[in-house]
Amino acid sequence: MGIVKVNPFRAMDMMSREMHKSLGTFEGTSQCVSANFSPKIDISEDENKIYLSAEVPGIAKENVNLTINDENVLIIKGEKQASYTIDENEKDKSCIRTERSYGTFTRSFVLPDNIVNDSVIANYADGVLDITIEKKEPEKPKEISVNIN
């Protein structure tokens, strides 16, 4: 008797494909649900700095806000607005499909204690927000000499 390969997910894959095919053929099926937008962010560091790089395509830099609070939390807020609108004068126009995400977002990151808060540099170009934060030398523990009686 030979070995038979079994894929337990084959039936689910086939059913999913058939559902997508059949749902796509219905008239009036709306694919215009807009999910919340959340930018992807890379974080790296070296000896002297922390680097963050956020993908924010389609967002004007005026719609991005960057703050660091007293607890050393970096907060990036913004809004990605839909590039299309359908107003009252366009009653014959309807949405067929929307795959891009829109909406407001907030991303927060706890930063280490050894950063220089007023040294943050942020650059925005080609849909990428690059943030550089300078580190300071960690404070050395304070030593107190104790007399022994």
Side-chain angles (χ1 to χ4, degrees):
M1 184 170 181
I3 298 175
V4 177
K5 290 185 180 181
V6 176
N7 180 355
F9 301 106
R10 182 173 178 231
M12 290 179 65
D13 288 340
M14 287 176 26
M15 186 173 71
S16 175
R17 272 182 273 166
E18 288 300 317
M19 285 179 62
H20 283 291
K21 276 198 275 184
S22 64
L23 287 175
T25 60
F26 285 127
E27 284 293 321
T29 324
S30 177
Q31 295 289 331
C32 296
V33 176
S34 178
N36 289 336
F37 174 73
S38 182
K40 305 293 184 211
I41 298 179
D42 295 334
I43 303 173
S44 60
E45 69 177 335
D46 61 20
E47 220 174 272
N48 302 315
K49 296 180 181 174
I50 297 173
Y51 306 95
L52 291 94
S53 184
E55 289 182 344
V56 286
I59 301 176
K61 72 178 182 177
E62 296 80 26
N63 292 339
V64 178
N65 186 11
L66 181 65
T67 58
I68 297 179
N69 66 17
D70 291 337
E71 288 86 35
N72 275 2
V73 177
L74 173 73
I75 302 167
I76 305 170
K77 292 182 180 180
E79 182 176 6
K80 184 175 182 184
Q81 297 175 347
S83 59
Y84 68 91
T85 55
I86 300 174
D87 62 18
E88 295 174 8
N89 298 329
E90 299 176 310
K91 292 181 182 178
D92 59 335
K93 185 176 180 183
S94 63
C95 179
I96 297 171
R97 184 180 198 94
T98 298
E99 294 184 347
R100 296 167 47 192
S101 299
Y102 302 100
T104 59
F105 68 88
T106 301
R107 299 290 310 265
S108 302
F109 302 93
V110 178
L111 299 172
D113 291 333
N114 66 331
I115 63 161
V116 181
N117 284 347
D118 56 355
S119 72
V120 179
I121 298 171
N123 294 309
Y124 182 83
D126 299 328
V128 178
L129 175 65
D130 288 314
I131 304 164
T132 304
I133 305 169
E134 192 174 323
K135 292 180 183 179
K136 62 183 174 185
E137 286 291 321
E139 294 181 19
K140 297 189 181 190
K142 185 177 177 182
E143 287 186 14
I144 299 172
S145 180
V146 178
N147 291 329
I148 301 174
N149 296 328

